[in-house]
């Protein structure tokens, strides 16, 4: 079962970001830093390395991209999905 179709646990959700035409060529880690400003580059790199970040590329033979690196160059039209976990409410 691929990451795109796997069933999410009750404490997980997927956040989807679209890559615009003016962002073509930007590195994946830079793209994520613009969206997750409270996260360090190292935290984002760990998320990428762990497989919590996936990319769907519609303008390619294969819809999903394999193992990602922080330096991966995005293209206009790419969909970046980030798997996140809900934290329990403090008591």
């Amino acid at each position: 079962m691929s990451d795109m179709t796997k069933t999410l646990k009750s404490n997980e959700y997927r956040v989807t970001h679209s890559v615009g035409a003016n962002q073509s060529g930007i590195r994946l880690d830079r793209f994520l830093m613009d969206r997750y400003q409270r996260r360090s580059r190292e935290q984002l790199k760990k998320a990428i390395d762990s497989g919590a970040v996936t990319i769907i590329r519609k303008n390619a033979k294969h819809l999903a991209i394999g193992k990602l690196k922080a330096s991966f160059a995005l293209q206009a039209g790419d969909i970046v999905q980030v798997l996140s976990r809900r934290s329990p409410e403090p008591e």
Side-chain angles (χ1 to χ4, degrees):
M1 184 181 313
S2 77
D3 270 353
M4 302 303 152
T5 59
K6 87 172 190 177
T7 304
L8 297 177
K9 297 176 186 173
S10 62
N11 67 335
E12 295 177 330
Y13 61 99
R14 198 177 310 275
V15 180
T16 302
H17 304 281
S18 298
V19 178
N22 62 336
Q23 298 166 315
S24 189
I26 191 171
R27 288 172 50 121
L28 176 59
D29 58 349
R30 185 82 220 137
F31 180 84
L32 292 174
M33 284 190 69
D34 289 345
R35 278 147 187 77
Y36 296 93
Q37 296 176 359
R38 293 184 178 183
R39 301 283 181 235
S40 69
R41 184 180 296 257
E42 187 60 30
Q43 288 173 315
L44 294 172
K45 185 179 180 322
K46 284 181 183 179
I48 294 166
D49 291 343
S50 73
V53 178
T54 55
I55 296 178
I56 300 171
R57 180 163 281 171
K58 295 183 178 183
N59 301 328
K61 286 191 236 179
H62 305 285
L63 291 179
I65 305 298
K67 180 76 173 146
L68 294 174
K69 293 184 177 182
S71 62
F72 183 83
L74 297 171
Q75 294 179 2
D78 283 352
I79 305 295
V80 179
Q81 293 184 329
V82 181
L83 181 65
S84 296
R85 290 181 176 81
R86 291 180 182 87
S87 299
E89 292 292 325
E91 293 182 25

